[in-house]
Amino acid sequence: MPFSLRVRARSRRSAARTSPWRVSFAPVLQEPLREAMKIWVYDDLPRRRNKNAVQHARAIIAAVGMLSESLRVQRPDHGTVPTAWGRSDIVAFTNRMGYYTSTGRISPARRLAFTRFVRRVLLRFRALDLTAPGQLLEAMPADFAISPEDMPDEPEAG
């Protein structure tokens, strides 16, 4: 592993008492995905020069946390093997997001934002070469990506 960012996982209750600059990776359950997210945050935060940068990172971690939850629930290996991830996992994730929208757990706008976040992060993992041999997400399949047809429609203004 070429990089390690030490960030302690926290419960929601203890996270509320901590510094506004801390970021919790607890929603991301699979170790390789969690470590890749740490690298992504380390890469992304310096590009953001506003006071909402940490909050934006938290929202993206929450979105990837929903992908992580979907992998844990849908896969027999609980999503712990990146080489086994595939197209069916992306379909399961997007369907799960649609279900959450239909039940009111998340809004259509949040569904669209989270799907966009996950799409962007998965593309960035590849750009950061985290899927190369010997890296965290070694041999992550190319079809483990959100394509344009997987994106939900824009929510209606109203």
Side-chain angles (χ1 to χ4, degrees):
M1 181 181 340
F3 173 77
S4 176
L5 175 66
R6 290 186 176 182
V7 179
R8 194 170 70 181
R10 301 180 173 281
S11 70
R12 287 185 184 189
R13 186 172 31 173
S14 67
R17 297 183 300 222
T18 63
S19 165
W21 304 108
R22 292 203 181 224
V23 177
S24 172
F25 295 91
V28 185
L29 305 171
Q30 294 78 9
E31 189 66 25
L33 191 56
R34 183 182 312 121
E35 293 301 316
M37 280 305 299
K38 290 177 185 179
I39 293 170
W40 179 86
V41 167
Y42 185 78
D43 176 70
D44 188 67
L45 276 180
R47 299 166 199 251
R48 304 198 176 275
R49 293 187 173 90
N50 61 38
K51 63 183 179 179
N52 296 327
V54 173
Q55 191 61 28
H56 182 74
R58 286 183 184 137
I60 293 177
I61 291 167
V64 175
M66 293 187 84
L67 172 65
S68 175
E69 176 190 354
S70 179
L71 288 169
R72 182 186 61 79
V73 171
Q74 305 284 343
R75 296 198 51 80
D77 65 357
H78 303 290
T80 57
V81 183
T83 57
W85 299 343
R87 179 78 190 138
S88 62
D89 298 311
I90 293 297
V91 170
F93 168 69
T94 56
N95 288 342
R96 189 175 183 87
M97 295 294 282
Y99 172 75
Y100 286 159
T101 302
S102 70
T103 60
R105 180 171 171 186
I106 61 173
S107 69
R110 176 67 61 166
R111 174 187 179 194
L112 179 62
F114 274 23
T115 306
R116 284 178 177 164
F117 290 162
V118 170
R119 181 179 188 202
R120 190 172 79 207
V121 166
L122 292 177
L123 288 170
R124 190 70 184 148
F125 285 166
R126 288 180 175 84
L128 290 170
D129 216 20
L130 296 178
T131 60
Q135 297 300 316
L136 290 168
L137 301 174
E138 179 177 2
M140 183 175 81
D143 66 348
F144 187 72
I146 296 178
S147 57
E149 57 270 8
D150 296 324
M151 295 301 296
D153 294 332
E154 293 276 342
E156 295 178 12

